[in-house]
Amino acid sequence: MSPEPLPPVAPEVLAEAVGQLTARLRKKLDAAVAECAGKALAGSGGSVEVRFGEDTLVILRPGPSGAVTEPGQAVCSCLLAPRCLHRAAVLGAAPLADADPVPPADPAAPEPSGGTPPPVTAPVPASSVPVTSEEARPSPTPAQVDAAADLWLAAAEALAAGVTAGGTVVQAELLRAAHSARLAGLPRAEAAALRVVRGLRTARERHRGQRLSDLTAAFRILLAGAAALASGAAGPEGAGTARRAYAEGGSLRVLGLCREPVLSATGYGGVTTHLLGPDGSLYTLSDVRPGGVSRAKGAGTASVALGGAVLDHAGLARGGLLIAGATVSADGRLGAGRGVRATPVRGADWSQEPVAAFFARPVREAVASSLDVAAAAPGDAGPALLGCDVEVLGAADDHLLARVLDGGPLVRLRVAHPHPELAHAENLRRIGGFPGVVLRVLGRPDPDRAATLRPLAVGPVPGASTSLRLPEEWRGHADLGYDRLQGDHFPRPEAGAASGTPGPAGADPLADAPLWRVRRLLETGVAGGRRAVAEAARGADRTALGVPLRRAGLAGAAELAEGLAAEADRRPRDSFGRLVDASPDAYARAWLASAIHLDAAERALVTASWS
């Protein structure tokens, strides 16, 4: 029999199983989890079995959702069950289920087949739709404050342990606190904790796609949110909402901008079509379900499930909709309730209003606004889309160099979605083969890199002789994740104004700033825990940490980094002079202060790089 993948397990089920283990069994848990790899086999009635030796069998019986959501759905044949190592190990080896799936796009809409997707890796930009009074929530209640304080302590323990010591026991404690936060009505805090746990798992398994910077950001978001809630100072948005709130939008006319493939780290795939309102507001319509990259590729031509509209996403990206009884969330997602009616209307070319006005906005102003969207709701939304006209200078390493027209900055164009089965990378390589071509680009600025844009779609610049020549049915733009550019879509080589390799990219204020020392210290703490930070900053290294920062005028960063190093190396003793473990609370606060300062400083440098 071939191995069977383990079904997803609800976080609270795993947390309960680990909580029932004795201290002796907890020390053996990570080794037992590793032993489960490749041992799962299909059982009867849709169950999954994992055998330990000849006499011990663990059986998982997923519920209708396909996940193990109740403790009774995981049983073991040994005498210690359910408080046994075998059962906890199998649950720990299984992927985490989403504790509270996102509901349908509108409270009145039916549940789509296949379940509703969790938050996806491709963020949806916010629009200018205001938050209504119904969506606002009061300050945290005493129960929420207590749950947030518990979550803070669990997150601080996980940070002090780091990836190297952040095994199943540490993860389970964080999951237990996340579940408590969920019960207290703190879905945003719960989601942040699940991101950290998934990041710890990915880092410990050394997946190729794992980035330590992503886990560092996840810890920062979790700790900052928990601290604000635990202090009682969080605003109405601090708790978040379990359901996405939709407000009545009346009649609404939207025009297609482009469609974007969506991939989730938990196996979901689909498409998001970006739309523009008459006042310049951004809207989105998504179709994301289980299926991974194959689902993302096929969803580009899937039918639009909105008010009986007879369009697919490919047609909507180049057309438009007149929506009656529209419902819109605060982040611009269109709802699909029973009262919504949609009629297809003619779209607008990127050279026509109101779309042309979207590309006419000064690029630095657009970037600052886009990055503010991501900073306002960390972990919930990424930078908003922006549009600009550029001249491609050529390929350089893993990106393209381009200059924004009319005296704009030099920018780097990087692949938006690197998956080889999507068309992004191939299209960007083809564009790089035509230096001198001018493009109208719609994309998302990279908040972690100086002057970097991740393009989602491109089109010709009106009136430019060295621009794209796209088929008429493409309506003036190519979706880089789905459409495939060909040689005859580009101007002839002799028409190009540039040739050869591009010159140097110029100074990178983010890379040249000594802030990388702070970033390395923070990431060292995430990877190796508190002890790694103490070792990295001892003796002469601590001086080397602060001096370059002060020379560059970054005295605040130097002070916070040195404070973090000192706290990491603090070794308290009891009344008999014996070393005792320091509380993780002060260390976590020092780490968080440095991380928040670094994030703000880097965001300012990224914004300045677009000048």
Side-chain angles (χ1 to χ4, degrees):
M1 297 176 65
S2 59
E4 181 82 3
L6 289 167
V9 172
E12 62 271 20
V13 174
L14 172 59
E16 182 185 25
V18 175
Q20 292 178 335
L21 297 180
T22 64
R24 181 180 63 85
L25 292 179
R26 290 188 179 195
K27 294 178 181 179
K28 301 179 179 181
L29 182 55
D30 285 334
V33 168
E35 188 182 341
C36 296
K39 294 178 64 175
L41 299 174
S44 60
S47 65
V48 178
E49 302 176 352
V50 179
R51 185 171 292 278
F52 290 84
E54 296 182 359
D55 302 326
T56 303
L57 182 67
V58 177
I59 302 176
L60 301 183
R61 296 187 177 90
S65 65
V68 176
T69 57
E70 300 290 340
Q73 294 172 346
V75 297
C76 179
S77 62
C78 78
L79 296 177
L80 292 178
R83 298 177 175 83
C84 64
L85 180 64
H86 314 107
R87 178 174 175 271
V90 173
L91 293 173
L96 281 180
D98 289 278
D100 193 5
V102 179
D106 190 275
E111 184 80 14
S113 60
T116 312
V120 294
T121 56
V124 179
S127 76
S128 59
V129 177
V131 178
T132 64
S133 59
E134 289 79 12
E135 293 174 272
R137 296 188 56 173
S139 299
T141 65
Q144 290 175 328
V145 170
D146 291 343
D150 189 27
L151 185 58
W152 163 270
L153 182 58
E157 293 280 4
L159 178 67
V163 172
T164 54
T168 308
V169 173
V170 172
Q171 296 170 23
E173 183 60 23
L174 195 50
L175 292 176
R176 180 202 59 76
H179 183 58
S180 298
R182 175 191 179 189
L183 297 179
L186 301 175
R188 177 170 291 173
E190 179 207 18
L194 293 183
R195 279 194 292 270
V196 168
V197 173
R198 289 193 175 102
L200 286 171
R201 286 187 165 199
T202 302
R204 288 176 63 83
E205 294 165 4
R206 300 184 180 180
H207 285 183
R208 290 182 58 185
Q210 183 268 337
R211 294 200 315 166
L212 191 58
S213 59
D214 292 340
L215 182 54
T216 302
F219 263 112
R220 171 177 54 80
I221 293 169
L222 171 59
L223 288 168
L229 289 165
S231 67
E237 74 285 350
T241 54
R243 277 184 170 269
R244 179 171 286 109
Y246 285 79
E248 295 295 334
S251 295
L252 181 66
R253 184 187 179 99
V254 292
L255 301 174
L257 286 176
C258 74
R259 57 200 162 131
E260 174 187 10
V262 173
L263 284 177
S264 165
T266 52
Y268 286 77
V271 63
T272 289
T273 297
H274 298 275
L275 307 160
L276 187 71
D279 60 350
S281 299
L282 290 171
Y283 300 91
T284 57
L285 189 61
S286 298
D287 179 4
V288 184
R289 299 182 186 180
V293 69
S294 60
R295 176 75 176 82
K297 292 168 63 178
T301 54
S303 297
V304 172
L306 182 69
V310 288
L311 273 180
D312 59 19
H313 280 271
L316 179 57
R318 294 180 167 93
L321 288 175
L322 180 61
I323 308 173
T327 57
V328 187
S329 72
D331 62 358
R333 300 194 189 192
L334 296 176
R338 295 186 183 92
V340 177
R341 296 292 180 266
T343 304
V345 296
R346 181 178 176 80
D349 188 279
W350 281 8
S351 62
Q352 301 172 335
E353 298 296 344
V355 183
F358 182 79
F359 289 92
R361 189 178 183 186
V363 67
R364 191 179 190 279
E365 175 187 324
V367 167
S369 176
S370 176
L371 296 180
D372 286 345
V373 168
D380 290 348
L385 298 185
L386 66 84
C388 60
D389 296 341
V390 304
E391 178 188 4
V392 176
L393 304 181
D397 299 327
D398 59 346
H399 60 272
L400 304 184
L401 285 179
R403 184 172 296 280
V404 177
L405 298 183
D406 299 329
L410 189 70
V411 299
R412 299 162 181 83
L413 304 181
R414 293 184 180 271
V415 175
H417 297 283
H419 198 288
E421 293 189 41
L422 299 178
H424 288 280
E426 179 185 339
N427 281 329
L428 213 60
R429 283 194 298 269
R430 188 168 290 277
I431 292 172
F434 292 86
V437 67
V438 293
L439 305 172
R440 178 156 283 185
V441 182
L442 178 69
R444 193 175 282 119
D446 191 328
D448 300 321
R449 296 176 184 269
T452 299
L453 184 67
R454 302 206 177 253
L456 302 179
V458 296
V461 175
S465 60
T466 58
S467 197
L468 294 175
R469 303 169 179 175
L470 300 178
E472 184 177 351
E473 60 269 22
W474 285 13
R475 296 300 306 273
H477 75 268
D479 297 330
L480 296 181
Y482 292 103
D483 302 320
R484 294 189 182 271
L485 295 171
Q486 305 298 328
D488 58 356
H489 295 156
F490 293 86
R492 295 176 181 176
E494 60 267 25
S499 62
T501 58
D508 184 340
L510 196 60
D512 295 342
L515 286 172
W516 64 267
R517 299 173 184 273
V518 181
R519 190 183 316 112
R520 185 176 65 180
L521 185 67
L522 294 171
E523 292 181 355
T524 296
V526 171
R530 179 176 187 155
R531 292 183 180 180
V533 174
E535 291 292 338
R538 274 189 185 145
D541 289 340
R542 188 174 300 180
T543 303
L545 174 65
V547 171
L549 291 168
R550 288 189 168 86
R551 286 176 179 169
L554 300 169
E559 182 177 349
L560 291 171
E562 289 171 345
L564 169 61
E567 180 57 38
D569 200 26
R570 186 170 64 86
R571 296 162 65 84
R573 296 177 181 271
D574 62 14
S575 56
F576 296 99
R578 297 172 297 195
L579 288 174
V580 295
D581 290 335
S583 167
D585 182 78
Y587 169 75
R589 293 186 184 279
W591 186 95
L592 178 60
S594 190
I596 290 176
H597 183 278
L598 175 66
D599 178 64
E602 290 186 332
R603 189 167 64 251
L605 288 174
V606 168
T607 303
S609 71
W610 285 84
S611 300

